[in-house]
Amino acid sequence: MIAVLKQGATKQQIENLCTWFKSQGLDVHISEGKFYTVMGLIGDTSKIDIDMLQDLEIIESVKRISEPFKSANRKFHPEDSVIGIGGLKIGGGNFQLIAGPCSVESPEQIMEIAEKVKASGASILRGGAFKPRTSPYDFQGLRAEGLELLLMAKEKTGMPIITEIMDANHLPLFEKVDIIQVGARNMQNFELLKELGKTKKPILLKRGLANNLKELLMSAEYIMAGGNNDVILCERGIRTFETYTRNTLDLSAIPMLRELTHLPIVVDPSHATGIARLVKPMAMAAAAAGADGIMIEVHNDPQHALCDGAQSLTPEQFEDVAERIGKILEVVKQ
Ligand code: PEP
Ligand code: MN
């Protein structure tokens, strides 16, 4: 980090600032120019509040040289992280296909979908039990009962399961869940992230609707700082001025995150587009761009789905998409 001091900063002010930086465990390199004094701060500056520095009377400008995320940073962990999920792995060349309904609705619904997506090549079953809905009058999920049904499908099919948590108080219910999902709306629910940092479960962290990649990585950092390094990032589209699609899928997030972090990257083309017929081309594009996993919403009767029917594929459509993804992965591996 580099801090440029204002002209006229007094010796005493410079000394005080220098002492404070040292108390934060940093080495300080001072170079005095004709007009400006520049301080080079060497060490772990991730805990330094850049806005607070910027506000100091003697500071002209501050610039970070290294990113504020440390645990998630590829610079400090050059190898891809490989995360274990039940008997499966994701990351470092291990790809997983996640599929299932937006919400668990009934035993028949989740079982039929689970069996069909498994037969088509999905390796992990998704299904929402606690649903974050924009309207309080919309279906909120079957909650604890939904989790029970998901666990039943896990038992019957042998597929690991992923489902969303909205409240840290619900954690005891998630004991047998294989991956805990943090939805887009909770990406910056820092108290929830801190609690998840204390667990030993893989966490799939979805990018917020209006969050940049640095913010996504800082949220991953919250979980990792608590001791849980098993974080999977998920690009699920962001809000732009485009209105034909539900969101805009930021495919460049995949290669960009690949450079910045060692964490596995999953793409969700269902929430990104909101339109079932767009899921196939975007899923193929995500596989081609190097995603470690793809998560797709599948429903046995999309027209009557209690949530997100318009973006849900039928099991038959999913079979076709899964086959296409497989073909793209073969090409990409060459
Ligand atoms: C979901 O995956 O069920 C979901 C609600 O997605 P998002 O948080 O990305 O909107
Ligand atoms: Mn959904």
Side-chain angles (χ1 to χ4, degrees), residues 133-191:
R133 304 303 302 275
T134 301
S135 166
Y137 308 118
D138 285 341
F139 177 57
Q140 304 286 307
L142 293 181
R143 303 171 70 84
E145 188 197 337
L147 274 178
E148 286 300 321
L149 297 180
L150 210 49
L151 288 170
M152 180 192 81
K154 169 180 169 164
E155 187 127 316
K156 290 216 171 136
T157 60
M159 294 173 94
I161 53 170
I162 172 169
T163 191
E164 177 167 353
I165 194 163
M166 297 213 292
D167 185 334
N169 290 323
H170 296 156
L171 260 173
L173 296 170
F174 284 67
E175 215 169 296
K176 293 188 188 142
V177 167
D178 299 279
I179 307 174
I180 301 179
Q181 174 172 319
V182 176
R185 289 153 193 83
N186 271 315
M187 189 203 89
Q188 288 190 314
N189 181 340
F190 301 119
E191 291 303 317

